[in-house]
């Protein structure tokens, strides 16, 4: 029986290994992590991450050919194929701080593999890593090999949170990069044989190592660029009276462009887009390409601008101050169908409102109060480090209350900010909400999910990103 071990039981490792176990019952799959609480959660009825369909897959396989363990060394030693799916956070200090990826956890994993291995291994990069990481890992392993042969493969993930299980069942492509040596090609074929159990062969792309590593960064950069492009257009739409939804629809009908990732919003978030673009910027700078670095930096700048613009619109619309006013925030996760809050625009919007002394009441169906308080009190990039390296007990932000009901969040509020596109927010009883709010009552829709005209009929003053402005808002332009 082929044995697979995955180091790292997070958003990538857990779901990916669960699907491999389901689709390959002849393969033993073990997910290992040094975090005892995380592994305990994977072995319980309350999984540590929320992803539609994940629980069902785990329950079908767990205890049969899918296992979760803290006995890291044993399972690394036993494995034929080792997936490494540890965090690669952005460096917070030292060379490349704020842009370069921190490979501390990757290096630790590589050294552990070298220490405990007694047989030849295929080591697979599953984390998002900077180009040439495989070369660095290869050097660590070969210099500590003790006669054992290692083949390094790059197998980047292209999962979208909220649809990860579907993405794994029916991937657009599976990318495997390896050395162009006979041994490297043999390793590629071994990993390809795993995916071939359910992925059509024409969707499994084999490349060299560097192409595979760079393709992941490039894909995320292109997607983030589309969001920043449409968000830049949303500001122009508001200024001219155009409707960004109509503009996006017209642009998306061009077959060369397509309609995906053209929805304007308060900004993009998640664990990959910003981190990968900053990584790309750093690689460009290190390779003497300052103009290319500046180009990609602008994608991040537009994203920050969009969040700032949203906060400014809230404050300026409400008589230029939200001091002492209750603002209800509906949604804190960076997108619907996930509890992930990494780089969520909600953090910057809430901090902006708190900076103007607002009282913020937050409701999200999947995010805990502890997570929200932690996010609002942490420094940038702290979120991507293991939890034991994050601030131990974050200071509670006193002007923030976290509630478990949208109606409680909006009761006596002066304004509502919709920051995640949860389906339930489309179907709330807005008449009931309006009746229980302070007047004038404002709705600031950061995801364009509500019908502005229906809300105006109720009595709300409504701001939807990139849509023609409410007469009230035209009289109170957003400050820069």
């Amino acid at each position: 029986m082929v044995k697979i071990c995955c180091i790292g039981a997070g958003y990538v490792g857990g779901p990916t290994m669960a699907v491999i176990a389901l689709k390959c019952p002849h393969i033993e799959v073990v997910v290992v992590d040094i975090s005892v609480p995380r592994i305990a959660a994977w072995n319980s009825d309350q999984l540590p991450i929320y992803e539609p369909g994940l629980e069902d897959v785990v329950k079908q396989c767990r205890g049969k050919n899918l296992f979760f363990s803290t006995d890291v060394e044993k399972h690394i030693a036993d494995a034929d194929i080792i997936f490494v799916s540890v965090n690669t956070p952005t460096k917070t200090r030292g060379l490349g701080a704020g842009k370069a990826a921190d490979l501390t956890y990757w290096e630790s994993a590589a050294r552990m593999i070298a220490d405990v291995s007694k047989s030849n291994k295929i080591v697979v990069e599953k984390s998002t890593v900077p180009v040439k990481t495989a070369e660095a890992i290869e050097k660590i392993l070969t210099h500590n090999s003790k006669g054992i042969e290692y083949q390094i493969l790059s197998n980047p993930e292209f999962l979208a949170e909220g649809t990860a299980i579907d993405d794994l069942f029916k991937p657009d492509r599976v990318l495997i990069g390896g050395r162009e040596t006979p041994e490297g090609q043999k390793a590629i074929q071994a990993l390809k044989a795993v995916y071939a159990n359910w992925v059509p062969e024409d969707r499994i792309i084999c490349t060299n190592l560097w192409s595979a590593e760079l393709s992941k960064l490039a894909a995320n950069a292109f997607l983030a660029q589309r969001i920043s492009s449409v968000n830049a257009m949303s500001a122009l739409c508001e200024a001219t009276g155009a409707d960004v939804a109509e503009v996006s629809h017209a642009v998306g009908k061009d077959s060369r462009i397509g309609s995906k990732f053209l929805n304007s919003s308060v900004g993009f978030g998640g664990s990959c887009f910003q981190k990968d673009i900053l990584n790309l910027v750093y690689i460009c700078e290190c390779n003497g390409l300052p103009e290319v670095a500046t180009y990609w930096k602008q994608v991040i700048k537009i994203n920050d601008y969009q969040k700032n613009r949203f906060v400014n619109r809230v404050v300026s619309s409400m008589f230029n101050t939200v001091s002492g006013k209750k603002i209800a925030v509906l949604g804190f996760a960076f997108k619907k169908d996930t509890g992930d809050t990494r780089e969520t625009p909600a953090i910057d919007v809430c901090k902006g409102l708190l900076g103007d002394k607002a009282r913020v009441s937050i409701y999200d169906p999947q995010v805990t109060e502890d997570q929200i308080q932690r996010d609002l009190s942490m420094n940038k990039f702290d979120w991507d480090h293991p939890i034991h390296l994050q601030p131990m007990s974050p200071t509670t932000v006193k002007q923030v209350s976290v509630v478990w009901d949208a109606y409680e969040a909006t009761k006596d509020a002066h304004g509502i900010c919709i920051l995640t596109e949860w389906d339930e927010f489309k179907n709330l009883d807005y008449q009931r909400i309006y009746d229980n709010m302070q007047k004038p009552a404002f709705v600031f829709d950061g995801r364009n999910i509500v019908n502005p005209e229906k809300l105006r009929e109720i009595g709300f003053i409504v701001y939807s990103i990139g849509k023609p402005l409410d007469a009230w808002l035209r009289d109170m332009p957003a400050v820069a």
Side-chain angles (χ1 to χ4, degrees):
M1 178 182 257
V2 174
K3 292 187 176 182
I4 289 176
C5 174
C6 176
I7 304 173
Y11 276 89
V12 175
T16 304
M17 293 304 114
V19 170
I20 288 177
L22 181 71
K23 297 293 188 181
C24 308
H26 57 288
I27 294 177
E28 179 185 285
V29 181
V30 183
V31 183
V32 297
D33 201 294
I34 58 171
S35 170
V36 174
R38 174 169 279 186
I39 291 298
W42 278 110
N43 284 317
S44 74
D45 290 332
Q46 189 67 46
L47 301 185
I49 64 173
Y50 173 72
E51 192 67 44
L54 175 62
E55 186 177 354
D56 183 51
V57 173
V58 169
K59 284 184 174 176
Q60 286 185 63
C61 306
R62 193 172 57 193
K64 295 175 185 172
N65 68 322
L66 174 64
F67 305 92
F68 298 92
S69 173
T70 54
D71 195 347
V72 180
E73 295 186 6
K74 175 189 183 302
H75 294 293
I76 288 176
D78 291 347
D80 304 299
I81 302 173
I82 300 169
F83 285 83
V84 184
S85 189
V86 297
N87 280 352
T88 50
T90 302
K91 288 182 75 173
T92 54
R93 55 181 66 86
L95 185 67
K99 287 181 290 213
D102 184 344
L103 296 181
T104 304
Y105 312 117
W106 238 106
E107 185 176 336
S108 301
R111 291 187 184 280
M112 184 180 289
I113 292 167
D115 285 344
V116 305
S117 293
K118 296 180 179 62
S119 57
N120 295 347
K121 310 285 185 197
I122 296 172
V123 179
V124 184
E125 289 178 342
K126 200 64 186 166
S127 316
T128 301
V129 292
V131 177
K132 301 285 186 180
T133 298
E135 192 169 56
I137 302 311
E138 211 169 42
K139 285 175 180 171
I140 291 170
L141 292 172
T142 51
H143 280 83
N144 295 277
S145 69
K146 296 175 274 191
I148 292 166
E149 289 186 10
Y150 298 97
Q151 288 301 321
I152 315 298
L153 300 178
S154 174
N155 176 218
E157 54 84 17
F158 295 101
L159 307 179
E161 287 183 48
T163 60
I165 299 301
D166 280 345
D167 295 341
L168 286 162
F169 281 169
K170 294 175 286 195
D172 290 338
R173 76 290 204 199
V174 170
L175 186 57
I176 303 172
R179 286 289 190 191
E180 292 158 308
T181 60
E183 297 79 11
Q185 294 302 303
K186 188 178 174 186
I188 287 175
Q189 292 306 314
L191 184 56
K192 183 177 178 180
V194 173
Y195 285 109
N197 282 282
W198 79 97
V199 180
E201 192 166 344
D202 62 354
R203 293 197 179 190
I204 303 175
I205 303 169
C206 300
T207 69
N208 71 35
L209 272 172
W210 324 133
S211 296
E213 289 183 334
L214 186 55
S215 293
K216 168 63 176 177
L217 296 185
N220 279 345
F222 276 54
L223 293 174
Q225 176 199 54
R226 286 172 69 91
I227 297 171
S228 281
S229 295
V230 78
N231 281 342
M233 283 294 162
S234 74
L236 187 58
C237 287
E238 290 168 28
T240 59
D243 185 326
V244 74
E246 294 174 350
V247 173
S248 295
H249 180 68
V251 170
K253 283 296 181 184
D254 188 322
S255 60
R256 297 164 301 174
I257 297 171
S259 60
K260 292 183 178 178
F261 281 76
L262 285 181
N263 292 326
S264 184
S265 72
V266 67
F268 60 72
S271 62
C272 285
F273 282 178
Q274 175 154 306
K275 184 174 74 171
D276 286 1
I277 295 172
L278 290 171
N279 202 337
L280 200 55
V281 167
Y282 185 66
I283 292 167
C284 291
E285 290 174 346
C286 291
N287 283 280
L289 302 169
E291 293 83 1
V292 183
T294 300
Y295 174 80
W296 288 112
K297 267 185 204 169
Q298 193 61 33
V299 174
I300 300 289
K301 281 187 177 178
I302 288 291
N303 197 49
D304 291 337
Y305 162 75
Q306 189 76 340
K307 291 180 283 190
N308 292 335
R309 198 169 74 83
F310 186 85
V311 173
N312 289 340
R313 180 67 77 182
V314 173
V315 175
S316 65
S317 302
M318 300 175 73
F319 311 104
N320 232 26
T321 180
V322 290
S323 180
K325 294 174 182 173
K326 179 179 177 181
I327 307 295
V329 169
L330 299 184
F332 198 83
F334 84 92
K335 63 186 282 192
K336 73 172 184 176
D337 291 333
T338 180
D340 196 352
T341 61
R342 291 177 289 181
E343 289 296 339
T344 176
I347 294 174
D348 289 330
V349 171
C350 288
K351 284 184 174 179
L353 295 171
L354 291 167
D356 205 63
K357 300 183 179 175
R359 293 182 298 115
V360 178
S361 182
I362 302 171
Y363 165 66
D364 187 288
Q366 285 294 333
V367 184
T368 65
E369 178 171 8
D370 179 68
Q371 185 62 53
I372 289 171
Q373 291 287 1
R374 187 181 291 275
D375 287 331
L376 293 177
S377 59
M378 276 196 294
N379 294 322
K380 202 165 184 62
F381 304 126
D382 277 349
W383 55 264
D384 208 11
H385 291 268
I387 202 154
H388 64 278
L389 295 180
Q390 294 175 11
M392 282 302 289
S393 51
T395 311
T396 300
V397 183
K398 292 185 174 58
Q399 307 101 294
V400 172
S401 62
V402 179
V403 297
W404 287 97
D405 176 64
Y407 298 104
E408 181 63 30
T410 54
K411 187 179 179 184
D412 293 324
H414 295 76
I416 300 170
C417 295
I418 302 173
L419 301 183
T420 310
E421 70 280 21
W422 288 103
D423 290 337
E424 69 179 81
F425 298 157
K426 299 175 186 175
N427 304 314
L428 293 171
D429 183 346
Y430 281 98
Q431 182 66 59
R432 174 185 167 189
I433 287 172
Y434 178 79
D435 292 342
N436 289 313
M437 284 178 67
Q438 302 285 335
K439 309 297 185 297
F442 296 84
V443 171
F444 301 93
D445 186 0
R447 296 289 178 173
N448 283 344
I449 63 167
V450 298
N451 184 321
E453 292 311 317
K454 284 188 177 176
L455 294 194
R456 285 178 186 132
E457 285 172 13
I458 291 171
F460 286 104
I461 294 159
V462 184
Y463 168 70
S464 293
I465 284 182
K467 299 292 184 81
L469 294 174
D470 194 299
W472 176 289
L473 301 172
R474 286 199 295 272
D475 297 335
M476 295 188 174
V479 291

PDB file of all heavy atoms in Angstrom, residues 250-262:
ATOM      1  N   ALA A 250     -21.187  44.032 -19.441  1.00  0.00           N
ATOM      2  CA  ALA A 250     -20.822  44.311 -20.838  1.00  0.00           C
ATOM      3  C   ALA A 250     -19.395  43.870 -21.133  1.00  0.00           C
ATOM      4  O   ALA A 250     -19.118  43.241 -22.165  1.00  0.00           O
ATOM      5  CB  ALA A 250     -20.986  45.808 -21.114  1.00  0.00           C
ATOM      6  N   VAL A 251     -18.479  44.171 -20.218  1.00  0.00           N
ATOM      7  CA  VAL A 251     -17.068  43.790 -20.400  1.00  0.00           C
ATOM      8  C   VAL A 251     -16.922  42.269 -20.386  1.00  0.00           C
ATOM      9  O   VAL A 251     -16.213  41.683 -21.205  1.00  0.00           O
ATOM     10  CB  VAL A 251     -16.193  44.433 -19.295  1.00  0.00           C
ATOM     11  CG1 VAL A 251     -14.780  43.858 -19.317  1.00  0.00           C
ATOM     12  CG2 VAL A 251     -16.140  45.952 -19.477  1.00  0.00           C
ATOM     13  N   GLY A 252     -17.631  41.613 -19.451  1.00  0.00           N
ATOM     14  CA  GLY A 252     -17.529  40.167 -19.301  1.00  0.00           C
ATOM     15  C   GLY A 252     -18.051  39.388 -20.480  1.00  0.00           C
ATOM     16  O   GLY A 252     -17.708  38.216 -20.662  1.00  0.00           O
ATOM     17  N   LYS A 253     -18.898  40.005 -21.298  1.00  0.00           N
ATOM     18  CA  LYS A 253     -19.430  39.335 -22.487  1.00  0.00           C
ATOM     19  C   LYS A 253     -18.373  39.174 -23.586  1.00  0.00           C
ATOM     20  O   LYS A 253     -18.568  38.425 -24.543  1.00  0.00           O
ATOM     21  CB  LYS A 253     -20.625  40.111 -23.040  1.00  0.00           C
ATOM     22  CG  LYS A 253     -21.914  39.906 -22.245  1.00  0.00           C
ATOM     23  CD  LYS A 253     -22.381  38.467 -22.303  1.00  0.00           C
ATOM     24  CE  LYS A 253     -23.674  38.242 -21.552  1.00  0.00           C
ATOM     25  NZ  LYS A 253     -24.058  36.821 -21.535  1.00  0.00           N
ATOM     26  N   ASP A 254     -17.269  39.906 -23.457  1.00  0.00           N
ATOM     27  CA  ASP A 254     -16.160  39.749 -24.399  1.00  0.00           C
ATOM     28  C   ASP A 254     -15.494  38.405 -24.100  1.00  0.00           C
ATOM     29  O   ASP A 254     -14.975  38.195 -23.006  1.00  0.00           O
ATOM     30  CB  ASP A 254     -15.161  40.901 -24.204  1.00  0.00           C
ATOM     31  CG  ASP A 254     -14.087  40.934 -25.271  1.00  0.00           C
ATOM     32  OD1 ASP A 254     -13.622  39.843 -25.681  1.00  0.00           O
ATOM     33  OD2 ASP A 254     -13.687  42.038 -25.681  1.00  0.00           O
ATOM     34  N   SER A 255     -15.505  37.505 -25.050  1.00  0.00           N
ATOM     35  CA  SER A 255     -14.998  36.154 -24.804  1.00  0.00           C
ATOM     36  C   SER A 255     -13.512  36.152 -24.440  1.00  0.00           C
ATOM     37  O   SER A 255     -13.019  35.215 -23.809  1.00  0.00           O
ATOM     38  CB  SER A 255     -15.234  35.260 -26.028  1.00  0.00           C
ATOM     39  OG  SER A 255     -14.568  35.797 -27.161  1.00  0.00           O
ATOM     40  N   ARG A 256     -12.808  37.208 -24.840  1.00  0.00           N
ATOM     41  CA  ARG A 256     -11.385  37.280 -24.504  1.00  0.00           C
ATOM     42  C   ARG A 256     -11.177  37.613 -23.032  1.00  0.00           C
ATOM     43  O   ARG A 256     -10.105  37.402 -22.476  1.00  0.00           O
ATOM     44  CB  ARG A 256     -10.688  38.344 -25.354  1.00  0.00           C
ATOM     45  CG  ARG A 256     -10.697  38.056 -26.853  1.00  0.00           C
ATOM     46  CD  ARG A 256     -10.363  39.315 -27.632  1.00  0.00           C
ATOM     47  NE  ARG A 256     -11.325  40.387 -27.356  1.00  0.00           N
ATOM     48  CZ  ARG A 256     -11.195  41.632 -27.816  1.00  0.00           C
ATOM     49  NH1 ARG A 256     -10.160  41.955 -28.564  1.00  0.00           N
ATOM     50  NH2 ARG A 256     -12.104  42.548 -27.531  1.00  0.00           N
ATOM     51  N   ILE A 257     -12.215  38.174 -22.398  1.00  0.00           N
ATOM     52  CA  ILE A 257     -12.113  38.613 -21.002  1.00  0.00           C
ATOM     53  C   ILE A 257     -12.872  37.671 -20.077  1.00  0.00           C
ATOM     54  O   ILE A 257     -12.334  37.159 -19.102  1.00  0.00           O
ATOM     55  CB  ILE A 257     -12.620  40.064 -20.855  1.00  0.00           C
ATOM     56  CG1 ILE A 257     -11.737  41.008 -21.679  1.00  0.00           C
ATOM     57  CG2 ILE A 257     -12.652  40.483 -19.383  1.00  0.00           C
ATOM     58  CD1 ILE A 257     -12.278  42.423 -21.784  1.00  0.00           C
ATOM     59  N   GLY A 258     -14.160  37.424 -20.375  1.00  0.00           N
ATOM     60  CA  GLY A 258     -14.970  36.532 -19.538  1.00  0.00           C
ATOM     61  C   GLY A 258     -15.497  37.246 -18.307  1.00  0.00           C
ATOM     62  O   GLY A 258     -15.037  38.328 -17.949  1.00  0.00           O
ATOM     63  N   SER A 259     -16.471  36.617 -17.663  1.00  0.00           N
ATOM     64  CA  SER A 259     -17.205  37.301 -16.592  1.00  0.00           C
ATOM     65  C   SER A 259     -16.686  37.051 -15.183  1.00  0.00           C
ATOM     66  O   SER A 259     -17.082  37.736 -14.247  1.00  0.00           O
ATOM     67  CB  SER A 259     -18.678  36.868 -16.648  1.00  0.00           C
ATOM     68  OG  SER A 259     -18.770  35.464 -16.464  1.00  0.00           O
ATOM     69  N   LYS A 260     -15.797  36.074 -15.002  1.00  0.00           N
ATOM     70  CA  LYS A 260     -15.374  35.734 -13.647  1.00  0.00           C
ATOM     71  C   LYS A 260     -14.450  36.797 -13.049  1.00  0.00           C
ATOM     72  O   LYS A 260     -13.644  37.404 -13.754  1.00  0.00           O
ATOM     73  CB  LYS A 260     -14.672  34.374 -13.628  1.00  0.00           C
ATOM     74  CG  LYS A 260     -15.627  33.217 -13.925  1.00  0.00           C
ATOM     75  CD  LYS A 260     -14.928  31.876 -13.834  1.00  0.00           C
ATOM     76  CE  LYS A 260     -15.903  30.730 -14.097  1.00  0.00           C
ATOM     77  NZ  LYS A 260     -15.234  29.423 -14.068  1.00  0.00           N
ATOM     78  N   PHE A 261     -14.585  36.995 -11.735  1.00  0.00           N
ATOM     79  CA  PHE A 261     -13.772  37.940 -10.977  1.00  0.00           C
ATOM     80  C   PHE A 261     -13.954  39.381 -11.446  1.00  0.00           C
ATOM     81  O   PHE A 261     -13.034  40.179 -11.417  1.00  0.00           O
ATOM     82  CB  PHE A 261     -12.281  37.542 -11.007  1.00  0.00           C
ATOM     83  CG  PHE A 261     -11.956  36.429 -10.047  1.00  0.00           C
ATOM     84  CD1 PHE A 261     -12.298  35.119 -10.329  1.00  0.00           C
ATOM     85  CD2 PHE A 261     -11.334  36.694  -8.839  1.00  0.00           C
ATOM     86  CE1 PHE A 261     -12.030  34.097  -9.437  1.00  0.00           C
ATOM     87  CE2 PHE A 261     -11.052  35.677  -7.939  1.00  0.00           C
ATOM     88  CZ  PHE A 261     -11.404  34.372  -8.239  1.00  0.00           C
ATOM     89  N   LEU A 262     -15.174  39.707 -11.902  1.00  0.00           N
ATOM     90  CA  LEU A 262     -15.477  41.088 -12.285  1.00  0.00           C
ATOM     91  C   LEU A 262     -16.557  41.694 -11.387  1.00  0.00           C
ATOM     92  O   LEU A 262     -17.187  42.670 -11.758  1.00  0.00           O
ATOM     93  CB  LEU A 262     -15.923  41.153 -13.756  1.00  0.00           C
ATOM     94  CG  LEU A 262     -14.822  41.008 -14.805  1.00  0.00           C
ATOM     95  CD1 LEU A 262     -15.406  41.124 -16.211  1.00  0.00           C
ATOM     96  CD2 LEU A 262     -13.721  42.049 -14.619  1.00  0.00           C
TER      97      LEU A 262
END
